[in-house]
Structures are given as structure tokens and as C-alpha cells.
Amino acid sequence: MSSRRSESTRAAILDAARERFAADGYERATIRAIARDASIDPSMVMRYYGNKEGLFAAAMTVDLALPDLAGLPREEVGRALVTHFLARWEEDEVLTALLRVGVTNQAGAERMQGIFRDQFLPVARRVCPDPEQAPARAALVATQVLGMALTRYVLRIPPAVALPREEVVAWLAPTLQRYLTAPSP
């Protein structure tokens, strides 16, 4: 099999897996259904990813591509993060799929926890006035960002969906700003 064909097969498998995990959840998604969606034999899924857990890990790899906040004035951190996260949720169906799976499945929850720990927590540590408080402050930010994502992109609660992006930013930015940079209560 050519390298190009191999890469297109892998891409088709991952696309099908993301859609299937998002639609069915981790437990109900099957290798057979994913292979059918990708128009390939199930043995190819196993060949590339070994098992369902390996496929899930590959399909749900997420790079938040967080902005470098070091160059921003401290008072703009909240706005920059809300703007970034809205763009990510609107452009990357993997994040929505992972949120759906993370709510109902331990492997998905662990994947979300890893993203939080490895990608978001270091950013929070750089902007928090007390680095020891960074984990708690980052968790508070996560409540807002994930709450908005759940209501706007997963549950699709009409008023949350209807809010213009700039209005979401205007509402959430001060809260994220306070969580990350305000003096401890």
C-alpha cells in the first residue's frame, strides 16, 4: 500500500471514529461501525490502531493551540481566552465529540483531564498571581468554558446558541479574567 493511500485510509478512519464516538459515545461505538463509515474492512482499523482504546486516543487527540498570553496586557487575558475557545469550539468538531464522550465515559473524561493538565494548566500558571492557586483558578475557568461549550455546541440550548459571539465574549471575559488574575477572595 502506498504511503499516500495509507495516510488517506488513516484519515478516513479517524474522521469516521470522531463522528461515531460523538454520535454514539465510547461504549456504543464499535470498530465494525467505524470501519463501515470509513468504507474499509475492520481489520484495517485494528492494523493501524490496535484496538478501540488506541483508536479513541488517536481520534481524540486535541491541541488547544492556546495563544501566548505573555505578550498581552494582563487585563486582556480573559478576553483572549474566551475568543480563542469560541473559535476552537466552532472550528474543531473533535472538541465537541470529546466533550460528549467525556461526560459519559471514563476514557473520555481522562482525555479531557489530560488536556486540562498538559495544555491549559501551564498557561494558567503563567498568569495567576499565586502559582500555587493556578490549579484551582484554571478549574474555575474550565467551568465557564466547558459550561458554555456544553450549552452552546452539545446541548444546543437555544438562547446560548443565539447569543452573538461578541456578546458571549463580553459576558465571559470578565469572569475568566477575575478567576485568573484577581486577588484571592
Side-chain angles (χ1 to χ4, degrees):
M1 181 180 287
S2 76
S3 174
R4 184 179 304 147
R5 186 163 172 219
S6 173
E7 285 306 308
S8 70
T9 300
R10 283 179 185 267
I13 293 168
L14 291 178
D15 287 344
R18 288 179 188 115
E19 289 180 24
R20 183 61 59 177
F21 285 130
D24 295 350
Y26 179 84
E27 300 302 329
R28 290 192 350 243
T30 65
I31 295 290
R32 206 175 286 292
I34 291 165
R36 185 178 55 246
D37 294 348
S39 302
I40 60 161
D41 188 87
S43 66
M44 294 300 288
V45 177
M46 303 305 278
R47 175 180 170 197
Y48 289 122
Y49 299 101
N51 56 30
K52 187 170 157 180
E53 291 79 19
L55 176 60
F56 179 77
M60 296 298 154
T61 297
V62 173
D63 178 359
L64 294 177
L66 290 164
D68 180 10
L69 302 176
L72 281 180
R74 187 178 200 115
E75 65 275 3
E76 292 180 27
V77 168
R79 174 172 282 284
L81 285 174
V82 174
T83 302
H84 177 76
F85 276 112
L86 285 173
R88 292 296 313 205
W89 286 104
E90 291 170 5
E91 296 166 4
D92 190 348
E93 75 281 353
V94 176
L95 284 173
T96 304
L98 187 54
L99 183 59
R100 282 189 182 110
V101 172
V103 170
T104 61
N105 173 269
Q106 186 60 36
E110 288 170 5
R111 177 65 70 195
M112 292 287 282
Q113 292 164 9
I115 292 167
F116 172 82
R117 179 191 62 244
D118 300 339
Q119 296 182 48
F120 187 68
L121 192 52
V123 170
R125 279 195 165 91
R126 286 193 291 276
V127 298
C128 289
D130 180 352
E132 288 185 21
Q133 293 178 343
R137 289 171 177 255
L140 289 167
V141 169
T143 67
Q144 300 302 302
V145 172
L146 295 176
M148 178 53 74
L150 184 65
T151 58
R152 189 172 171 101
Y153 305 112
V154 176
L155 300 175
R156 303 197 51 78
I157 294 175
V161 173
L163 277 172
R165 226 170 139 185
E166 261 316 300
E167 208 169 314
V168 173
V169 172
W171 279 104
L172 289 184
T175 301
L176 268 59
Q177 185 71 40
R178 182 170 55 88
Y179 286 160
L180 287 171
T181 64
S184 185

